[in-house]
Amino acid sequence: EQPGPRPVIYSEDFESGAESWETITSSGDTHWERGEPSSPKLMTAHSGKHLYGTNLDAPYTNDVVASLRSPIIDLSAAVRPRLSFWYFVDTTFGFEGVQLRILDEKGNLLWKNEVEDNFWGMSDGWREYERPLPSTAIRIEWLFLSDDRVPKGEGFFLDDVVIE
């Protein structure tokens, strides 16, 4: 007998405002923005009309350090919680892109993806990413980093974040 679908613990499609999500720009002129994309390479969200992205209508800029953080999500009662989200990326492969980080509720680093798992280069449309999460209270952070070289791409776009 096949197990049924896993219960959804948390879900955000960015259509109704992304309450308690936080953006932090430490350097550079590129910021995380919620809205409708209108870049040459990405004109639609994965679902609905809204997503989060780096500069929704222009290439990202030099020397960016910018974070998008989820609200605190309590997974202490969850059994084998699993994160999934959809993304589109257009950055310089090997040098610029997003590092996925899992933080505790105080903002301390619990986990970050290794270099081979960085979100960089060019995706050929929307891609899904999945990974297990710890059973504790967490925040999920997408840390966007760019260097001082040109050319610049469209950046990183995120939609349909789900924890089951």
mmCIF file of all heavy atoms in Angstrom, residues 57-107:
data_model
loop_
_atom_site.group_PDB
_atom_site.id
_atom_site.type_symbol
_atom_site.label_atom_id
_atom_site.label_comp_id
_atom_site.label_asym_id
_atom_site.label_seq_id
_atom_site.Cartn_x
_atom_site.Cartn_y
_atom_site.Cartn_z
ATOM 1 N N ASP A 57 12.801 43.533 -12.902
ATOM 2 C CA ASP A 57 12.731 44.045 -14.271
ATOM 3 C C ASP A 57 14.079 44.490 -14.839
ATOM 4 O O ASP A 57 14.130 45.200 -15.832
ATOM 5 C CB ASP A 57 11.740 45.203 -14.345
ATOM 6 C CG ASP A 57 12.118 46.340 -13.405
ATOM 7 O OD1 ASP A 57 13.125 46.224 -12.685
ATOM 8 O OD2 ASP A 57 11.392 47.342 -13.387
ATOM 9 N N ALA A 58 15.183 44.074 -14.211
ATOM 10 C CA ALA A 58 16.509 44.481 -14.695
ATOM 11 C C ALA A 58 17.551 43.476 -14.224
ATOM 12 O O ALA A 58 17.332 42.766 -13.239
ATOM 13 C CB ALA A 58 16.852 45.872 -14.156
ATOM 14 N N PRO A 59 18.692 43.425 -14.901
ATOM 15 C CA PRO A 59 19.765 42.550 -14.425
ATOM 16 C C PRO A 59 20.239 42.976 -13.031
ATOM 17 O O PRO A 59 20.109 44.141 -12.654
ATOM 18 C CB PRO A 59 20.887 42.768 -15.455
ATOM 19 C CG PRO A 59 20.203 43.276 -16.674
ATOM 20 C CD PRO A 59 19.035 44.082 -16.173
ATOM 21 N N TYR A 60 20.791 42.032 -12.294
ATOM 22 C CA TYR A 60 21.341 42.371 -10.982
ATOM 23 C C TYR A 60 22.630 43.170 -11.164
ATOM 24 O O TYR A 60 23.189 43.246 -12.259
ATOM 25 C CB TYR A 60 21.563 41.116 -10.134
ATOM 26 C CG TYR A 60 22.481 40.076 -10.733
ATOM 27 C CD1 TYR A 60 23.842 40.090 -10.477
ATOM 28 C CD2 TYR A 60 21.977 39.074 -11.542
ATOM 29 C CE1 TYR A 60 24.684 39.130 -11.020
ATOM 30 C CE2 TYR A 60 22.812 38.109 -12.089
ATOM 31 C CZ TYR A 60 24.161 38.147 -11.829
ATOM 32 O OH TYR A 60 24.993 37.209 -12.361
ATOM 33 N N THR A 61 23.096 43.776 -10.085
ATOM 34 C CA THR A 61 24.249 44.671 -10.136
ATOM 35 C C THR A 61 25.473 44.027 -9.485
ATOM 36 O O THR A 61 25.407 42.906 -8.992
ATOM 37 C CB THR A 61 23.919 45.996 -9.440
ATOM 38 O OG1 THR A 61 23.547 45.719 -8.087
ATOM 39 C CG2 THR A 61 22.773 46.716 -10.149
ATOM 40 N N ASN A 62 26.569 44.754 -9.453
ATOM 41 C CA ASN A 62 27.830 44.276 -8.893
ATOM 42 C C ASN A 62 27.825 44.236 -7.368
ATOM 43 O O ASN A 62 27.130 45.033 -6.725
ATOM 44 C CB ASN A 62 28.984 45.184 -9.324
ATOM 45 C CG ASN A 62 29.340 45.024 -10.777
ATOM 46 O OD1 ASN A 62 28.897 44.094 -11.438
ATOM 47 N ND2 ASN A 62 30.141 45.929 -11.287
ATOM 48 N N ASP A 63 28.663 43.352 -6.839
ATOM 49 C CA ASP A 63 28.983 43.300 -5.399
ATOM 50 C C ASP A 63 27.753 43.236 -4.495
ATOM 51 O O ASP A 63 27.671 43.938 -3.493
ATOM 52 C CB ASP A 63 29.864 44.491 -5.015
ATOM 53 C CG ASP A 63 31.176 44.480 -5.770
ATOM 54 O OD1 ASP A 63 31.767 43.390 -5.916
ATOM 55 O OD2 ASP A 63 31.611 45.559 -6.217
ATOM 56 N N VAL A 64 26.817 42.374 -4.834
ATOM 57 C CA VAL A 64 25.585 42.244 -4.061
ATOM 58 C C VAL A 64 25.731 41.171 -2.992
ATOM 59 O O VAL A 64 26.266 40.092 -3.237
ATOM 60 C CB VAL A 64 24.393 41.900 -4.981
ATOM 61 C CG1 VAL A 64 23.130 41.620 -4.177
ATOM 62 C CG2 VAL A 64 24.155 43.007 -5.988
ATOM 63 N N VAL A 65 25.242 41.485 -1.808
ATOM 64 C CA VAL A 65 25.018 40.523 -0.736
ATOM 65 C C VAL A 65 23.612 40.829 -0.240
ATOM 66 O O VAL A 65 23.392 41.850 0.425
ATOM 67 C CB VAL A 65 26.054 40.666 0.405
ATOM 68 C CG1 VAL A 65 25.730 39.681 1.523
ATOM 69 C CG2 VAL A 65 27.464 40.469 -0.102
ATOM 70 N N ALA A 66 22.644 39.996 -0.617
ATOM 71 C CA ALA A 66 21.244 40.266 -0.293
ATOM 72 C C ALA A 66 20.537 38.977 0.112
ATOM 73 O O ALA A 66 20.643 37.970 -0.585
ATOM 74 C CB ALA A 66 20.534 40.901 -1.490
ATOM 75 N N SER A 67 19.831 39.034 1.223
ATOM 76 C CA SER A 67 19.143 37.854 1.760
ATOM 77 C C SER A 67 17.631 37.999 1.674
ATOM 78 O O SER A 67 17.091 39.081 1.865
ATOM 79 C CB SER A 67 19.485 37.668 3.241
ATOM 80 O OG SER A 67 20.831 37.331 3.396
ATOM 81 N N LEU A 68 16.993 36.875 1.417
ATOM 82 C CA LEU A 68 15.544 36.733 1.550
ATOM 83 C C LEU A 68 15.334 35.661 2.607
ATOM 84 O O LEU A 68 15.838 34.548 2.455
ATOM 85 C CB LEU A 68 14.912 36.300 0.225
ATOM 86 C CG LEU A 68 13.428 35.954 0.276
ATOM 87 C CD1 LEU A 68 12.588 37.185 0.631
ATOM 88 C CD2 LEU A 68 12.975 35.354 -1.049
ATOM 89 N N ARG A 69 14.609 36.009 3.678
ATOM 90 C CA ARG A 69 14.406 35.068 4.782
ATOM 91 C C ARG A 69 12.925 34.816 5.026
ATOM 92 O O ARG A 69 12.120 35.735 5.070
ATOM 93 C CB ARG A 69 15.018 35.606 6.074
ATOM 94 C CG ARG A 69 16.519 35.618 6.065
ATOM 95 C CD ARG A 69 17.045 36.080 7.390
ATOM 96 N NE ARG A 69 18.504 36.045 7.420
ATOM 97 C CZ ARG A 69 19.219 36.469 8.434
ATOM 98 N NH1 ARG A 69 18.635 36.961 9.523
ATOM 99 N NH2 ARG A 69 20.529 36.402 8.390
ATOM 100 N N SER A 70 12.624 33.540 5.221
ATOM 101 C CA SER A 70 11.268 33.150 5.576
ATOM 102 C C SER A 70 10.980 33.576 7.018
ATOM 103 O O SER A 70 11.907 33.861 7.788
ATOM 104 C CB SER A 70 11.113 31.632 5.473
ATOM 105 O OG SER A 70 11.783 30.996 6.554
ATOM 106 N N PRO A 71 9.717 33.584 7.406
ATOM 107 C CA PRO A 71 9.429 33.739 8.830
ATOM 108 C C PRO A 71 9.928 32.503 9.589
ATOM 109 O O PRO A 71 10.301 31.503 8.961
ATOM 110 C CB PRO A 71 7.905 33.840 8.881
ATOM 111 C CG PRO A 71 7.435 33.250 7.606
ATOM 112 C CD PRO A 71 8.524 33.423 6.600
ATOM 113 N N ILE A 72 9.929 32.564 10.907
ATOM 114 C CA ILE A 72 10.285 31.386 11.707
ATOM 115 C C ILE A 72 9.194 30.347 11.517
ATOM 116 O O ILE A 72 8.002 30.643 11.634
ATOM 117 C CB ILE A 72 10.444 31.759 13.191
ATOM 118 C CG1 ILE A 72 11.636 32.709 13.353
ATOM 119 C CG2 ILE A 72 10.636 30.507 14.044
ATOM 120 C CD1 ILE A 72 11.759 33.319 14.732
ATOM 121 N N ILE A 73 9.612 29.128 11.213
ATOM 122 C CA ILE A 73 8.675 28.024 10.982
ATOM 123 C C ILE A 73 8.994 26.940 12.005
ATOM 124 O O ILE A 73 10.109 26.423 12.029
ATOM 125 C CB ILE A 73 8.824 27.476 9.543
ATOM 126 C CG1 ILE A 73 8.615 28.604 8.528
ATOM 127 C CG2 ILE A 73 7.857 26.327 9.309
ATOM 128 C CD1 ILE A 73 9.088 28.276 7.126
ATOM 129 N N ASP A 74 8.034 26.615 12.843
ATOM 130 C CA ASP A 74 8.251 25.619 13.907
ATOM 131 C C ASP A 74 8.000 24.221 13.361
ATOM 132 O O ASP A 74 6.869 23.846 13.071
ATOM 133 C CB ASP A 74 7.329 25.905 15.095
ATOM 134 C CG ASP A 74 7.609 24.980 16.270
ATOM 135 O OD1 ASP A 74 8.504 24.110 16.174
ATOM 136 O OD2 ASP A 74 6.911 25.128 17.290
ATOM 137 N N LEU A 75 9.072 23.453 13.244
ATOM 138 C CA LEU A 75 8.987 22.081 12.734
ATOM 139 C C LEU A 75 9.232 21.058 13.832
ATOM 140 O O LEU A 75 9.484 19.893 13.546
ATOM 141 C CB LEU A 75 9.999 21.886 11.604
ATOM 142 C CG LEU A 75 9.841 22.803 10.398
ATOM 143 C CD1 LEU A 75 10.966 22.575 9.401
ATOM 144 C CD2 LEU A 75 8.488 22.616 9.756
ATOM 145 N N SER A 76 9.171 21.492 15.099
ATOM 146 C CA SER A 76 9.525 20.596 16.207
ATOM 147 C C SER A 76 8.593 19.382 16.312
ATOM 148 O O SER A 76 9.008 18.343 16.815
ATOM 149 C CB SER A 76 9.571 21.365 17.524
ATOM 150 O OG SER A 76 8.325 21.977 17.791
ATOM 151 N N ALA A 77 7.370 19.503 15.819
ATOM 152 C CA ALA A 77 6.446 18.366 15.868
ATOM 153 C C ALA A 77 6.400 17.596 14.546
ATOM 154 O O ALA A 77 5.680 16.607 14.425
ATOM 155 C CB ALA A 77 5.044 18.851 16.226
ATOM 156 N N ALA A 78 7.188 18.031 13.580
ATOM 157 C CA ALA A 78 7.156 17.409 12.251
ATOM 158 C C ALA A 78 8.019 16.147 12.211
ATOM 159 O O ALA A 78 9.052 16.071 12.856
ATOM 160 C CB ALA A 78 7.646 18.396 11.200
ATOM 161 N N VAL A 79 7.562 15.173 11.443
ATOM 162 C CA VAL A 79 8.320 13.943 11.231
ATOM 163 C C VAL A 79 8.933 14.015 9.834
ATOM 164 O O VAL A 79 8.212 14.079 8.847
ATOM 165 C CB VAL A 79 7.400 12.705 11.350
ATOM 166 C CG1 VAL A 79 8.177 11.440 11.037
ATOM 167 C CG2 VAL A 79 6.767 12.646 12.724
ATOM 168 N N ARG A 80 10.257 14.048 9.780
ATOM 169 C CA ARG A 80 10.998 14.133 8.514
ATOM 170 C C ARG A 80 10.471 15.253 7.608
ATOM 171 O O ARG A 80 10.053 14.994 6.467
ATOM 172 C CB ARG A 80 10.989 12.792 7.794
ATOM 173 C CG ARG A 80 11.726 11.700 8.541
ATOM 174 C CD ARG A 80 11.879 10.407 7.755
ATOM 175 N NE ARG A 80 10.705 9.906 7.075
ATOM 176 C CZ ARG A 80 9.739 9.174 7.652
ATOM 177 N NH1 ARG A 80 9.827 8.843 8.925
ATOM 178 N NH2 ARG A 80 8.711 8.750 6.957
ATOM 179 N N PRO A 81 10.498 16.502 8.080
ATOM 180 C CA PRO A 81 10.016 17.595 7.224
ATOM 181 C C PRO A 81 10.874 17.742 5.978
ATOM 182 O O PRO A 81 12.076 17.452 5.989
ATOM 183 C CB PRO A 81 10.127 18.829 8.122
ATOM 184 C CG PRO A 81 11.110 18.474 9.174
ATOM 185 C CD PRO A 81 11.016 16.986 9.363
ATOM 186 N N ARG A 82 10.233 18.158 4.902
ATOM 187 C CA ARG A 82 10.906 18.268 3.611
ATOM 188 C C ARG A 82 10.528 19.594 2.958
ATOM 189 O O ARG A 82 9.354 19.913 2.826
ATOM 190 C CB ARG A 82 10.498 17.099 2.728
ATOM 191 C CG ARG A 82 11.223 17.038 1.424
ATOM 192 C CD ARG A 82 11.211 15.599 0.887
ATOM 193 N NE ARG A 82 12.235 15.433 -0.109
ATOM 194 C CZ ARG A 82 13.509 15.143 0.141
ATOM 195 N NH1 ARG A 82 13.911 14.986 1.370
ATOM 196 N NH2 ARG A 82 14.369 15.003 -0.840
ATOM 197 N N LEU A 83 11.558 20.334 2.549
ATOM 198 C CA LEU A 83 11.384 21.609 1.858
ATOM 199 C C LEU A 83 11.366 21.388 0.359
ATOM 200 O O LEU A 83 12.161 20.598 -0.168
ATOM 201 C CB LEU A 83 12.566 22.531 2.208
ATOM 202 C CG LEU A 83 12.746 23.791 1.357
ATOM 203 C CD1 LEU A 83 11.618 24.783 1.618
ATOM 204 C CD2 LEU A 83 14.098 24.429 1.644
ATOM 205 N N SER A 84 10.481 22.082 -0.332
ATOM 206 C CA SER A 84 10.542 22.142 -1.795
ATOM 207 C C SER A 84 10.217 23.567 -2.222
ATOM 208 O O SER A 84 9.484 24.285 -1.543
ATOM 209 C CB SER A 84 9.587 21.143 -2.457
ATOM 210 O OG SER A 84 8.250 21.501 -2.233
ATOM 211 N N PHE A 85 10.812 23.976 -3.333
ATOM 212 C CA PHE A 85 10.491 25.267 -3.924
ATOM 213 C C PHE A 85 10.857 25.233 -5.400
ATOM 214 O O PHE A 85 11.582 24.352 -5.855
ATOM 215 C CB PHE A 85 11.202 26.436 -3.214
ATOM 216 C CG PHE A 85 12.702 26.365 -3.185
ATOM 217 C CD1 PHE A 85 13.469 26.830 -4.250
ATOM 218 C CD2 PHE A 85 13.358 25.848 -2.077
ATOM 219 C CE1 PHE A 85 14.851 26.784 -4.211
ATOM 220 C CE2 PHE A 85 14.747 25.798 -2.032
ATOM 221 C CZ PHE A 85 15.500 26.261 -3.099
ATOM 222 N N TRP A 86 10.311 26.179 -6.135
ATOM 223 C CA TRP A 86 10.594 26.308 -7.561
ATOM 224 C C TRP A 86 11.462 27.533 -7.758
ATOM 225 O O TRP A 86 11.267 28.554 -7.091
ATOM 226 C CB TRP A 86 9.295 26.440 -8.348
ATOM 227 C CG TRP A 86 8.550 25.141 -8.397
ATOM 228 C CD1 TRP A 86 7.668 24.669 -7.458
ATOM 229 C CD2 TRP A 86 8.639 24.141 -9.398
ATOM 230 N NE1 TRP A 86 7.211 23.430 -7.833
ATOM 231 C CE2 TRP A 86 7.788 23.084 -9.027
ATOM 232 C CE3 TRP A 86 9.349 24.035 -10.595
ATOM 233 C CZ2 TRP A 86 7.636 21.940 -9.799
ATOM 234 C CZ3 TRP A 86 9.189 22.896 -11.366
ATOM 235 C CH2 TRP A 86 8.342 21.865 -10.966
ATOM 236 N N TYR A 87 12.440 27.436 -8.677
ATOM 237 C CA TYR A 87 13.345 28.551 -8.917
ATOM 238 C C TYR A 87 13.709 28.668 -10.391
ATOM 239 O O TYR A 87 13.645 27.711 -11.157
ATOM 240 C CB TYR A 87 14.615 28.416 -8.070
ATOM 241 C CG TYR A 87 15.550 27.323 -8.523
ATOM 242 C CD1 TYR A 87 16.624 27.611 -9.366
ATOM 243 C CD2 TYR A 87 15.366 25.998 -8.138
ATOM 244 C CE1 TYR A 87 17.478 26.606 -9.806
ATOM 245 C CE2 TYR A 87 16.222 24.997 -8.567
ATOM 246 C CZ TYR A 87 17.272 25.306 -9.398
ATOM 247 O OH TYR A 87 18.117 24.318 -9.841
ATOM 248 N N PHE A 88 14.090 29.873 -10.764
ATOM 249 C CA PHE A 88 14.656 30.176 -12.073
ATOM 250 C C PHE A 88 15.922 30.972 -11.796
ATOM 251 O O PHE A 88 15.910 31.895 -10.976
ATOM 252 C CB PHE A 88 13.685 31.014 -12.912
ATOM 253 C CG PHE A 88 14.244 31.428 -14.247
ATOM 254 C CD1 PHE A 88 14.083 30.618 -15.353
ATOM 255 C CD2 PHE A 88 14.934 32.619 -14.388
ATOM 256 C CE1 PHE A 88 14.614 30.985 -16.584
ATOM 257 C CE2 PHE A 88 15.461 33.006 -15.620
ATOM 258 C CZ PHE A 88 15.297 32.180 -16.718
ATOM 259 N N VAL A 89 17.023 30.628 -12.443
ATOM 260 C CA VAL A 89 18.289 31.322 -12.201
ATOM 261 C C VAL A 89 18.952 31.695 -13.528
ATOM 262 O O VAL A 89 18.907 30.921 -14.491
ATOM 263 C CB VAL A 89 19.235 30.480 -11.302
ATOM 264 C CG1 VAL A 89 19.626 29.172 -11.963
ATOM 265 C CG2 VAL A 89 20.458 31.268 -10.877
ATOM 266 N N ASP A 90 19.536 32.894 -13.555
ATOM 267 C CA ASP A 90 20.318 33.367 -14.694
ATOM 268 C C ASP A 90 21.460 34.209 -14.127
ATOM 269 O O ASP A 90 21.313 35.406 -13.893
ATOM 270 C CB ASP A 90 19.447 34.198 -15.640
ATOM 271 C CG ASP A 90 20.249 34.783 -16.797
ATOM 272 O OD1 ASP A 90 21.280 34.205 -17.176
ATOM 273 O OD2 ASP A 90 19.834 35.843 -17.317
ATOM 274 N N THR A 91 22.588 33.541 -13.816
ATOM 275 C CA THR A 91 23.753 34.189 -13.215
ATOM 276 C C THR A 91 25.030 33.638 -13.857
ATOM 277 O O THR A 91 24.974 32.699 -14.649
ATOM 278 C CB THR A 91 23.826 33.934 -11.692
ATOM 279 O OG1 THR A 91 24.023 32.531 -11.463
ATOM 280 C CG2 THR A 91 22.571 34.402 -10.965
ATOM 281 N N THR A 92 26.146 34.188 -13.477
ATOM 282 C CA THR A 92 27.439 33.713 -13.955
ATOM 283 C C THR A 92 27.780 32.407 -13.245
ATOM 284 O O THR A 92 27.943 32.386 -12.024
ATOM 285 C CB THR A 92 28.535 34.757 -13.683
ATOM 286 O OG1 THR A 92 28.145 35.992 -14.269
ATOM 287 C CG2 THR A 92 29.862 34.309 -14.275
ATOM 288 N N PHE A 93 27.870 31.322 -14.007
ATOM 289 C CA PHE A 93 28.146 30.013 -13.416
ATOM 290 C C PHE A 93 29.493 30.022 -12.707
ATOM 291 O O PHE A 93 30.489 30.506 -13.231
ATOM 292 C CB PHE A 93 28.132 28.912 -14.488
ATOM 293 C CG PHE A 93 28.377 27.550 -13.915
ATOM 294 C CD1 PHE A 93 27.352 26.850 -13.317
ATOM 295 C CD2 PHE A 93 29.643 26.991 -13.927
ATOM 296 C CE1 PHE A 93 27.571 25.598 -12.757
ATOM 297 C CE2 PHE A 93 29.879 25.742 -13.373
ATOM 298 C CZ PHE A 93 28.839 25.053 -12.786
ATOM 299 N N GLY A 94 29.507 29.486 -11.489
ATOM 300 C CA GLY A 94 30.738 29.353 -10.741
ATOM 301 C C GLY A 94 31.120 30.558 -9.905
ATOM 302 O O GLY A 94 32.034 30.486 -9.091
ATOM 303 N N PHE A 95 30.427 31.686 -10.111
ATOM 304 C CA PHE A 95 30.824 32.903 -9.407
ATOM 305 C C PHE A 95 29.679 33.610 -8.694
ATOM 306 O O PHE A 95 29.894 34.251 -7.669
ATOM 307 C CB PHE A 95 31.481 33.901 -10.376
ATOM 308 C CG PHE A 95 32.760 33.389 -10.954
ATOM 309 C CD1 PHE A 95 32.785 32.822 -12.212
ATOM 310 C CD2 PHE A 95 33.937 33.455 -10.236
ATOM 311 C CE1 PHE A 95 33.972 32.344 -12.754
ATOM 312 C CE2 PHE A 95 35.124 32.976 -10.758
ATOM 313 C CZ PHE A 95 35.139 32.421 -12.024
ATOM 314 N N GLU A 96 28.472 33.586 -9.256
ATOM 315 C CA GLU A 96 27.367 34.364 -8.710
ATOM 316 C C GLU A 96 26.123 33.496 -8.612
ATOM 317 O O GLU A 96 25.936 32.592 -9.412
ATOM 318 C CB GLU A 96 27.065 35.570 -9.614
ATOM 319 C CG GLU A 96 28.263 36.466 -9.794
ATOM 320 C CD GLU A 96 28.034 37.554 -10.822
ATOM 321 O OE1 GLU A 96 27.560 37.253 -11.938
ATOM 322 O OE2 GLU A 96 28.347 38.706 -10.501
ATOM 323 N N GLY A 97 25.284 33.806 -7.647
ATOM 324 C CA GLY A 97 24.039 33.066 -7.505
ATOM 325 C C GLY A 97 23.568 33.052 -6.077
ATOM 326 O O GLY A 97 23.896 33.927 -5.281
ATOM 327 N N VAL A 98 22.798 32.020 -5.735
ATOM 328 C CA VAL A 98 22.167 31.922 -4.418
ATOM 329 C C VAL A 98 22.746 30.756 -3.635
ATOM 330 O O VAL A 98 22.931 29.665 -4.163
ATOM 331 C CB VAL A 98 20.639 31.766 -4.551
ATOM 332 C CG1 VAL A 98 20.004 31.211 -3.301
ATOM 333 C CG2 VAL A 98 20.014 33.104 -4.890
ATOM 334 N N GLN A 99 22.996 31.017 -2.372
ATOM 335 C CA GLN A 99 23.353 29.982 -1.412
ATOM 336 C C GLN A 99 22.129 29.780 -0.520
ATOM 337 O O GLN A 99 21.617 30.735 0.055
ATOM 338 C CB GLN A 99 24.551 30.424 -0.583
ATOM 339 C CG GLN A 99 25.000 29.365 0.400
ATOM 340 C CD GLN A 99 26.157 29.863 1.244
ATOM 341 O OE1 GLN A 99 25.943 30.590 2.207
ATOM 342 N NE2 GLN A 99 27.355 29.494 0.874
ATOM 343 N N LEU A 100 21.654 28.550 -0.450
ATOM 344 C CA LEU A 100 20.534 28.215 0.434
ATOM 345 C C LEU A 100 21.079 27.949 1.821
ATOM 346 O O LEU A 100 22.040 27.198 1.978
ATOM 347 C CB LEU A 100 19.798 26.977 -0.090
ATOM 348 C CG LEU A 100 18.621 26.499 0.745
ATOM 349 C CD1 LEU A 100 17.491 27.535 0.752
ATOM 350 C CD2 LEU A 100 18.119 25.167 0.221
ATOM 351 N N ARG A 101 20.468 28.575 2.825
ATOM 352 C CA ARG A 101 20.926 28.426 4.202
ATOM 353 C C ARG A 101 19.724 28.135 5.102
ATOM 354 O O ARG A 101 18.662 28.718 4.916
ATOM 355 C CB ARG A 101 21.628 29.708 4.663
ATOM 356 C CG ARG A 101 22.858 30.014 3.839
ATOM 357 C CD ARG A 101 23.321 31.459 3.917
ATOM 358 N NE ARG A 101 23.461 31.964 5.249
ATOM 359 C CZ ARG A 101 24.621 32.170 5.880
ATOM 360 N NH1 ARG A 101 25.753 31.888 5.275
ATOM 361 N NH2 ARG A 101 24.656 32.660 7.087
ATOM 362 N N ILE A 102 19.903 27.241 6.044
ATOM 363 C CA ILE A 102 18.889 26.948 7.053
ATOM 364 C C ILE A 102 19.408 27.535 8.367
ATOM 365 O O ILE A 102 20.511 27.194 8.809
ATOM 366 C CB ILE A 102 18.633 25.438 7.199
ATOM 367 C CG1 ILE A 102 18.315 24.794 5.834
ATOM 368 C CG2 ILE A 102 17.527 25.179 8.216
ATOM 369 C CD1 ILE A 102 17.100 25.357 5.130
ATOM 370 N N LEU A 103 18.626 28.417 8.969
ATOM 371 C CA LEU A 103 19.012 29.109 10.193
ATOM 372 C C LEU A 103 18.123 28.665 11.341
ATOM 373 O O LEU A 103 16.964 28.281 11.125
ATOM 374 C CB LEU A 103 18.859 30.626 10.014
ATOM 375 C CG LEU A 103 19.482 31.236 8.759
ATOM 376 C CD1 LEU A 103 19.122 32.713 8.664
ATOM 377 C CD2 LEU A 103 20.977 31.035 8.748
ATOM 378 N N ASP A 104 18.639 28.747 12.575
ATOM 379 C CA ASP A 104 17.762 28.508 13.720
ATOM 380 C C ASP A 104 16.920 29.767 13.944
ATOM 381 O O ASP A 104 17.075 30.778 13.247
ATOM 382 C CB ASP A 104 18.545 28.069 14.964
ATOM 383 C CG ASP A 104 19.427 29.148 15.565
ATOM 384 O OD1 ASP A 104 19.279 30.357 15.227
ATOM 385 O OD2 ASP A 104 20.284 28.795 16.391
ATOM 386 N N GLU A 105 16.028 29.718 14.921
ATOM 387 C CA GLU A 105 15.108 30.841 15.107
ATOM 388 C C GLU A 105 15.808 32.136 15.525
ATOM 389 O O GLU A 105 15.253 33.216 15.381
ATOM 390 C CB GLU A 105 14.000 30.472 16.089
ATOM 391 C CG GLU A 105 14.480 30.074 17.463
ATOM 392 C CD GLU A 105 13.355 29.514 18.299
ATOM 393 O OE1 GLU A 105 12.271 30.124 18.357
ATOM 394 O OE2 GLU A 105 13.563 28.460 18.904
ATOM 395 N N LYS A 106 17.052 32.046 15.991
ATOM 396 C CA LYS A 106 17.826 33.236 16.366
ATOM 397 C C LYS A 106 18.689 33.743 15.217
ATOM 398 O O LYS A 106 19.369 34.752 15.353
ATOM 399 C CB LYS A 106 18.707 32.929 17.576
ATOM 400 C CG LYS A 106 17.899 32.638 18.823
ATOM 401 C CD LYS A 106 18.801 32.295 19.984
ATOM 402 C CE LYS A 106 17.938 31.948 21.188
ATOM 403 N NZ LYS A 106 18.720 31.387 22.282
ATOM 404 N N GLY A 107 18.691 33.033 14.103
ATOM 405 C CA GLY A 107 19.473 33.452 12.946
ATOM 406 C C GLY A 107 20.830 32.795 12.826
ATOM 407 O O GLY A 107 21.615 33.145 11.940
#
